[in-house]
Amino acid sequence: MRNLCGSAGAVPGACAVNICKGDSKMRVYNFSAGPSTLPLNVLERARDEFLDFAGTGMSVTEISHRDKAFSAVVEDAEALVRELLNVPEDYAVIFVQGGASTQFAAIPLNLMHNGKADYIVTGNFAKKAWQEGQIYGDAVKIGDSSDRTYTYIPDVDELPYSQDADYVHITSNNTIFGSRYAKFPECKAPLVADMSSEIFSREIDVSKFGVIYAGAQKNLAPAGVTIVIAKRSLIQDPLKICPTMLKWKVQDDNGSLYNTPPCFSIYMADLVLRDLKEKGGVKAANEKAEYKAGLLYDFIDNSSLFKNNVEKPFRSIMNVPFVTPSAELDAKFIAEAKKAGLVSLKGHRLVGGMRASIYNAMPVEGVKALIAFMQKFEQENK
Amino acid sequence: MRNLCGSAGAVPGACAVNICKGDSKMRVYNFSAGPSTLPLNVLERARDEFLDFAGTGMSVTEISHRDKAFSAVVEDAEALVRELLNVPEDYAVIFVQGGASTQFAAIPLNLMHNGKADYIVTGNFAKKAWQEGQIYGDAVKIGDSSDRTYTYIPDVDELPYSQDADYVHITSNNTIFGSRYAKFPECKAPLVADMSSEIFSREIDVSKFGVIYAGAQKNLAPAGVTIVIAKRSLIQDPLKICPTMLKWKVQDDNGSLYNTPPCFSIYMADLVLRDLKEKGGVKAANEKAEYKAGLLYDFIDNSSLFKNNVEKPFRSIMNVPFVTPSAELDAKFIAEAKKAGLVSLKGHRLVGGMRASIYNAMPVEGVKALIAFMQKFEQENK
């Protein structure tokens, strides 16, 4: 925990932080997998201007999405996505609703013209995307790492890609199991990637992808907005049964303002993107992420109590699952960590154990505080 | 405009309001059709606890949707909807994403088992819903008030309802054209109503409806969440091609937490609903709305400059469009009103002129300030 007013606290392995002057509440280190911790300066700014957005005399939650003061935010957010990810001009960048789970349907509904697509199933959400694809056509599972509990990524050079697939779908980082693609498939069909839990933490060549999409509630913004980056030539002819709101072309043609967008989440995304740019962009974010993850994996690998089961080349730098030898000790760890201001460390119900999600907004100090706490816990529970 | 710190301002026809001590910014009266003005006390509370939600040491924008502190919010919001609208127990109450426009597809995808539905087209969004219905089956337009620019509602007792329709769709209040149903259809097929721009401003008998849905960004919350109230017996068997995320049953079975919901908008909806309950519920909101609308229509009807074209029995108590004799004078009015702190009065681009949206959160003083300004403008522009 950190004292937002500056003075260090007394919690061992963490530093206490008052939210503001005269307030005894603490700001915790939040390791939630999403929604997740956001940059403190962004939160403070949003709070400070919450009743008066851009001098309009209205809250950003009240202003018309057609007001120039707000549409400027959408334009700015789109421009920042383009700049920070170096998105080619012939790609749409849109903000939509419904999370990645809604995109699981939007993908075949926009792209599955020949009725066939390849899916590489490397985790829970990859599996859900594949299952949703089956509603609309022949969704072929060409890779599957469930045999070892999704702790690795299949060799993408050796997969049986279909010759006539409309696209190949991957989940680039597995939030629940803590693995990620070290190398992306190089396939004939357009590559479609769910990057929800790693977008803006890793430098990517967008031109190698047909579509990139991401729920914002991890590295980008509060929940409620999903970003889709799609090569325009691929999205001109959605299936007839595609709901209008799921047609990427419609959203692109209307600058993400076809209907009322999730204004507050887009506004927050814009602030986070500005903050990201000021801090050095995706390159700097990646270096910080690699550093934080390195600290945590190094500690775990040298620990006699904690263990991470993901194969090293595929370890996520965003989501780090770990376990002790027993479920009882895991529960004890989670409870005691929470008391020390290190919260949302419980692993997903499909995996159990612990998971530290260390997204862009998690400070290095938060990871160091977690490691210090783990050291102490290990000493006390040998 | 109002001084939030108490002292009255000097702008004629409106009272100036500083946002907070030492801040020279003004809070305007916002007549936007949506997103729209929210209760000031709700905004202040959200601001005050923005960095520390429910003593968790996290912002409500950061906390996991699986955290009990947050899921309690979703449960509370659902319970309040049930209480305030007296929703029967065999109805689902769910919070989803994508706005009413996404529901235009979800309706046939959940309900159109016989491939046929009736639509009464009384405005722009009613028309869009009808057009979306045509994607999935035989969407029959059984009523249409476009002949007189949607300024009335067809006689619902005289419409040619289909014998084998899966449902009858209406838009209960027309945001753009400012008309509303004085009486609802009594039809054999389940009645499906888009109540986006009037929900919680009018007492309704939910049991007379199959489905009620509403984008929240008018009377309920910031944009980003849509409420659906649906009779459970109707929603058990969505069409095979329905995206999982649009299946109301899936959302109902998962308590609106099938995937990450739009947390902040739901949190704000909960605060607004609590505020509504404290202020006397829907009955009191309706009385206030009738009073405000009455003041404004009375003034307009007695004005020699301003005119409202909607037939009296069908006049909306939420959206009041009006015009002067010329587009030039309309533009002058909108510009001068803005300077006086009365903003977002421009009519929809399909209609032109002016529109005052006077949702639940618009204070009586706001309507009185508008009328005072209109009086002054009329004097000056005879």
Side-chain angles (χ1 to χ4, degrees):
Chain A
M1 296 186 286
R2 295 147 287 166
N3 188 317
L4 302 195
C5 306
S7 67
V11 178
C15 52
V17 190
N18 288 316
I19 291 284
C20 62
K21 271 175 255 174
D23 190 330
S24 64
K25 298 294 192 321
M26 298 292 167
R27 180 159 170 87
V28 297
Y29 285 122
N30 171 16
F31 294 93
S32 170
S36 45
T37 193
L38 290 165
L40 182 58
N41 59 318
V42 165
L43 292 171
E44 287 171 336
R45 175 170 171 176
R47 177 197 61 195
D48 293 346
E49 65 188 29
F50 193 67
L51 284 180
D52 183 23
F53 165 67
T56 59
M58 292 175 268
S59 170
V60 70
T61 60
E62 300 177 300
I63 194 168
S64 169
H65 58 298
R66 305 286 176 197
D67 191 302
K68 278 176 190 154
F70 184 77
S71 57
V73 169
V74 182
E75 286 163 22
D76 192 58
E78 180 189 329
L80 282 166
V81 170
R82 289 185 180 279
E83 180 183 343
L84 289 163
L85 292 178
N86 195 22
V87 178
E89 276 199 21
D90 60 331
Y91 280 66
V93 173
I94 55 174
F95 300 99
V96 296
Q97 294 188 60
S101 296
T102 299
Q103 296 309 310
F104 296 166
I107 292 156
L109 285 166
N110 279 278
L111 301 178
M112 209 190 251
H113 297 103
N114 297 317
K116 190 174 192 177
D118 288 344
Y119 283 78
I120 308 178
V121 177
T122 55
N124 185 55
F125 291 105
K127 188 177 174 185
K128 286 193 165 198
W130 168 59
Q131 289 168 333
E132 194 80 4
Q134 293 172 51
I135 296 175
Y136 304 101
D138 188 9
V140 185
K141 185 166 68 174
I142 59 165
D144 185 343
S145 57
S146 64
D147 56 336
R148 295 202 300 277
T149 333
Y150 301 123
T151 52
Y152 72 103
I153 304 291
D155 183 346
V156 296
D157 293 332
E158 300 295 327
L159 295 175
Y161 299 98
S162 304
Q163 279 307 302
D164 51 350
D166 287 307
Y167 57 87
V168 175
H169 182 277
I170 64 167
T171 308
S172 69
N173 182 83
N174 301 308
T175 322
I176 293 175
F177 299 93
S179 62
R180 68 157 178 169
Y181 282 72
K183 175 191 175 185
F184 293 117
E186 292 183 18
C187 44
K188 199 186 73 177
L191 185 60
V192 176
D194 178 356
M195 292 198 175
S196 294
S197 50
E198 71 163 10
I199 195 163
F200 300 114
S201 76
R202 177 179 191 175
E203 291 182 284
I204 48 168
D205 180 351
V206 173
S207 73
K208 297 279 176 69
F209 296 82
V211 179
I212 292 167
Y213 66 104
Q217 68 276 10
K218 292 149 198 297
N219 263 339
L220 186 57
V225 64
T226 302
I227 187 171
V228 179
I229 302 167
K231 193 168 186 172
R232 287 203 173 103
S233 60
L234 297 173
I235 66 172
Q236 297 305 307
D237 187 27
L239 303 201
K240 195 188 161 300
I241 58 167
C242 184
T244 303
M245 281 290 292
L246 299 194
K247 290 177 180 170
W248 295 329
K249 177 178 166 49
V250 168
Q251 300 292 351
D252 184 34
D253 288 347
N254 288 277
S256 300
L257 295 172
Y258 175 74
N259 76 336
T260 312
C263 300
F264 186 73
S265 292
I266 295 176
Y267 155 80
M268 290 290 285
D270 184 52
L271 293 184
V272 170
L273 290 166
R274 286 196 219 178
D275 183 64
L276 177 61
K277 184 180 171 182
E278 275 169 26
K279 288 175 178 160
V282 176
K283 185 170 188 292
N286 179 253
E287 286 165 3
K288 181 182 163 194
E290 293 279 5
Y291 176 69
K292 288 185 297 185
L295 289 178
L296 189 49
Y297 284 120
D298 279 353
F299 171 75
I300 291 169
D301 289 342
N302 289 301
S303 162
S304 57
L305 186 69
F306 299 104
K307 193 178 168 191
N308 168 282
N309 292 314
V310 178
E311 292 182 22
K312 286 190 180 178
F314 307 113
R315 281 174 165 180
S316 170
I317 58 172
M318 293 282 107
N319 309 98
V320 182
F322 55 95
V323 289
T324 71
S326 82
E328 292 69 29
L329 211 50
D330 288 349
K332 186 181 176 194
F333 178 88
I334 293 160
E336 292 188 3
K338 186 176 179 182
K339 282 183 197 156
L342 306 165
V343 310
S344 287
L345 280 162
K346 193 175 177 182
H348 191 276
R349 61 189 182 280
L350 293 176
V351 184
M354 283 73 74
R355 171 179 50 177
S357 293
I358 49 174
Y359 296 121
N360 283 354
M362 173 59 66
V364 171
E365 294 70 32
V367 175
K368 287 184 175 172
L370 172 62
I371 292 170
F373 179 81
M374 289 168 79
Q375 279 175 320
K376 181 169 159 285
F377 187 87
E378 185 170 334
Q379 286 292 325
E380 293 169 359
N381 294 277
K382 269 187 175 168
Chain B
M1 294 187 287
R2 296 146 288 167
N3 187 317
L4 302 195
C5 305
S7 65
V11 179
C15 54
V17 190
N18 288 316
I19 291 286
C20 61
K21 271 174 256 175
D23 190 329
S24 63
K25 297 296 193 321
M26 299 293 167
R27 179 158 170 87
V28 297
Y29 285 122
N30 170 16
F31 294 93
S32 169
S36 45
T37 193
L38 290 165
L40 182 58
N41 58 320
V42 165
L43 292 172
E44 287 170 337
R45 175 170 170 176
R47 177 198 59 195
D48 293 346
E49 65 188 29
F50 193 68
L51 284 181
D52 183 25
F53 165 66
T56 59
M58 292 175 266
S59 171
V60 69
T61 59
E62 300 177 299
I63 194 169
S64 170
H65 58 298
R66 306 285 176 199
D67 192 302
K68 278 176 191 154
F70 184 77
S71 56
V73 169
V74 182
E75 286 163 22
D76 192 59
E78 181 189 329
L80 282 166
V81 171
R82 289 186 180 280
E83 179 183 344
L84 290 164
L85 293 178
N86 196 22
V87 178
E89 277 200 20
D90 60 332
Y91 280 66
V93 173
I94 55 175
F95 300 99
V96 295
Q97 294 188 61
S101 296
T102 300
Q103 297 308 309
F104 296 167
I107 291 156
L109 286 165
N110 279 278
L111 301 177
M112 208 189 251
H113 297 103
N114 297 317
K116 190 173 190 177
D118 288 344
Y119 283 79
I120 307 178
V121 177
T122 56
N124 186 55
F125 290 105
K127 188 177 173 185
K128 285 194 166 197
W130 168 58
Q131 288 168 333
E132 194 81 5
Q134 293 172 50
I135 296 175
Y136 304 102
D138 188 8
V140 185
K141 185 166 68 172
I142 60 164
D144 185 342
S145 57
S146 64
D147 57 337
R148 295 203 298 278
T149 332
Y150 300 123
T151 52
Y152 71 104
I153 304 291
D155 183 347
V156 296
D157 293 333
E158 300 295 328
L159 295 175
Y161 299 99
S162 304
Q163 279 307 304
D164 51 349
D166 287 308
Y167 57 88
V168 175
H169 182 276
I170 64 168
T171 308
S172 69
N173 182 83
N174 301 308
T175 323
I176 294 175
F177 299 93
S179 61
R180 67 157 179 171
Y181 281 73
K183 176 190 175 185
F184 293 117
E186 293 184 17
C187 44
K188 202 185 73 179
L191 186 59
V192 176
D194 177 356
M195 294 198 174
S196 294
S197 51
E198 71 164 11
I199 196 162
F200 299 114
S201 75
R202 178 179 191 174
E203 292 182 284
I204 48 167
D205 181 351
V206 173
S207 73
K208 297 280 177 68
F209 296 83
V211 178
I212 292 167
Y213 66 104
Q217 68 276 11
K218 293 147 196 298
N219 264 337
L220 186 59
V225 65
T226 302
I227 186 170
V228 179
I229 302 167
K231 192 167 187 172
R232 287 202 173 104
S233 60
L234 297 173
I235 66 172
Q236 297 306 307
D237 187 27
L239 304 199
K240 195 189 162 296
I241 58 166
C242 184
T244 303
M245 281 290 292
L246 299 194
K247 290 178 181 170
W248 294 330
K249 177 178 165 51
V250 168
Q251 300 292 351
D252 184 33
D253 288 347
N254 289 276
S256 300
L257 294 172
Y258 175 74
N259 76 334
T260 312
C263 300
F264 185 74
S265 292
I266 295 176
Y267 155 79
M268 290 291 285
D270 184 52
L271 293 184
V272 170
L273 290 166
R274 287 196 218 179
D275 183 64
L276 177 61
K277 184 179 171 183
E278 276 170 26
K279 287 176 179 160
V282 176
K283 186 171 186 292
N286 180 253
E287 286 164 2
K288 182 181 163 193
E290 292 279 4
Y291 176 69
K292 288 185 296 183
L295 290 178
L296 189 49
Y297 284 120
D298 279 352
F299 171 75
I300 291 170
D301 289 343
N302 289 302
S303 163
S304 57
L305 187 70
F306 299 104
K307 195 180 168 191
N308 169 281
N309 292 313
V310 178
E311 291 181 22
K312 285 189 180 177
F314 307 113
R315 280 174 165 180
S316 170
I317 58 172
M318 293 282 106
N319 309 98
V320 182
F322 55 95
V323 290
T324 70
S326 81
E328 290 69 29
L329 211 50
D330 290 349
K332 187 181 175 192
F333 178 88
I334 293 160
E336 291 188 4
K338 186 176 179 184
K339 282 182 196 155
L342 307 164
V343 310
S344 287
L345 280 163
K346 193 176 177 182
H348 191 276
R349 61 189 183 280
L350 294 176
V351 183
M354 284 73 74
R355 173 179 48 179
S357 293
I358 50 175
Y359 296 121
N360 284 354
M362 173 58 66
V364 172
E365 294 71 32
V367 175
K368 287 184 175 172
L370 173 61
I371 292 170
F373 179 81
M374 290 168 80
Q375 279 175 318
K376 181 169 160 284
F377 187 86
E378 185 170 335
Q379 286 292 326
E380 294 169 357
N381 295 277
K382 270 188 176 168

